[in-house]
Amino acid sequence: MRRVLRILLIAGLLLTAAGTVPETARVEAAPSRALVQFPVYSPSMHRTVMNNVLPAPGGGKAPVLYLLHGAGGGSDHIGWEWNTRYREFFRNKDVTVVSPVGGAGSFYTDWRSRDRKLGLNKWQTYLTRELPAAVNRHFGGNGRNAIAGVSMSGGPAIDLAARAPRLYRAAASYSGCPAQALGFPAVMGTVIGQGGNPLNMWTPSDYVVHDPVLNAARLRGTAIYISAGDAGLELPVRACSDASAAALRAQGIRVTSDGLRGAHSWDVFEGGLRQSWRVIGPAIGA
């Protein structure tokens, strides 16, 4: 375990050197499932959040996958809906896919304080209480859920599953860094890159509380998937992903991980999504 922690520390330092990694874009062609815009009022954030939803094709009750965006939160029109063929991938799969739009630089967590630039962020509350309740009412969720994130939201996706173990049966990180405590300089850099103040997000102790590697017991029974590429600025992300997977396995958590070919790009992100389905699909019965 001590050796794994040393690896995680090195990975965190590498992520700091990499800084905020850009997400290269690719435009989707010929989408295969209708995308529904679903506004949900968040009492905790005092605003309405728009969510892009791919309803399950069967029309009845179905599992739900909450698929989070990267550093821009999708408000910049960079995300699954615009840069991948995910509609084609999910065309015949019995699952409702939900992507909230917003949360740039938020790490999809509950912030300690309102931020002058990024506003009031209570994304953990939204994603574990408010949004699932609304999705279940309007789209017929059957109670079997998974959550996945990319880049900025990779680690938070696994943390959210740890925060709400009865809600999410599976969680995935695509080109993210689940070991958030040791990668905290990169976390802070991402928040600053979006114009926010990281001191409004977490205190130093919160980085420990929200690190799923340091709170692995909360993930027992949850199917975990982690992937990253192998080129360019993706290298420190790969180091952190591999070390996080090893640390979780050392604590008895069921983890499936893949090393993919490529840089920090939507080709690699989408590749991770497709590979992860062998873990997520069976976990939620989709």
Side-chain angles (χ1 to χ4, degrees):
M1 183 64 184
R2 188 174 298 172
R3 178 176 178 272
V4 171
L5 287 175
R6 284 201 300 269
I7 295 172
L8 282 169
L9 178 57
I10 294 169
L13 293 172
L14 287 170
L15 278 168
T16 304
T20 302
V21 183
E23 301 159 9
T24 60
R26 189 189 67 210
V27 178
E28 180 188 17
S32 300
R33 269 173 70 173
L35 194 65
V36 176
Q37 290 191 316
F38 178 50
V40 174
Y41 180 73
S42 168
S44 65
M45 293 192 281
H46 309 298
R47 68 176 185 266
T48 296
V49 177
M50 186 60 68
N51 305 271
N52 289 332
V53 181
L54 293 176
K61 288 193 173 184
V64 180
L65 170 63
Y66 293 88
L67 191 59
L68 305 180
H69 291 115
S75 299
D76 51 3
H77 282 201
I78 295 175
W80 301 102
E81 302 91 316
W82 305 279
N83 306 119
T84 73
R85 297 182 176 87
Y86 89 131
R87 279 179 267 185
E88 176 186 320
F89 177 70
F90 286 113
R91 178 177 53 190
N92 297 318
K93 292 177 174 58
D94 188 29
V95 61
T96 295
V97 184
V98 181
S99 294
V101 178
S106 71
F107 281 82
Y108 291 103
T109 191
D110 283 3
W111 285 40
R112 291 281 184 170
S113 306
R114 181 186 293 271
D115 189 81
R116 181 176 296 179
K117 170 68 174 179
L118 301 181
L120 178 62
N121 289 292
K122 296 292 181 181
W123 289 97
Q124 177 180 312
T125 299
Y126 182 71
L127 287 162
T128 60
R129 300 179 188 175
E130 298 166 353
L131 181 59
V135 168
N136 288 344
R137 284 195 305 269
H138 291 271
F139 294 96
N142 64 8
R144 297 195 298 267
N145 307 298
I147 187 164
V150 58
S151 192
M152 178 197 76
S153 63
I158 298 180
D159 174 52
L160 286 162
R163 298 293 100 200
R166 296 182 181 179
L167 177 62
Y168 295 116
R169 298 187 178 190
S173 169
Y174 313 123
S175 296
C177 179
Q180 298 186 120
L182 291 174
F184 78 92
V187 174
M188 295 177 71
T190 300
V191 175
I192 293 170
Q194 293 296 320
N197 182 348
L199 298 179
N200 290 329
M201 185 175 81
W202 285 340
T203 65
S205 63
D206 289 325
Y207 285 87
V208 174
V209 170
H210 288 280
D211 187 327
V213 174
L214 299 179
N215 297 276
R218 289 176 169 268
L219 293 171
R220 298 198 187 281
T222 305
I224 303 297
Y225 176 87
I226 298 173
S227 67
D230 66 353
L233 292 179
E234 184 79 345
L235 286 172
V237 179
R238 173 70 170 271
C240 184
S241 292
D242 289 349
S244 298
L248 288 170
R249 289 191 189 103
Q251 297 176 79
I253 305 303
R254 181 165 48 110
V255 180
T256 301
S257 58
D258 285 320
L260 306 177
R261 299 294 301 273
H264 201 73
S265 67
W266 283 99
D267 286 329
V268 170
F269 307 158
E270 184 176 355
L273 170 64
R274 291 173 180 265
Q275 291 289 340
S276 72
W277 197 247
R278 71 186 192 276
V279 175
I280 294 174
I284 59 177

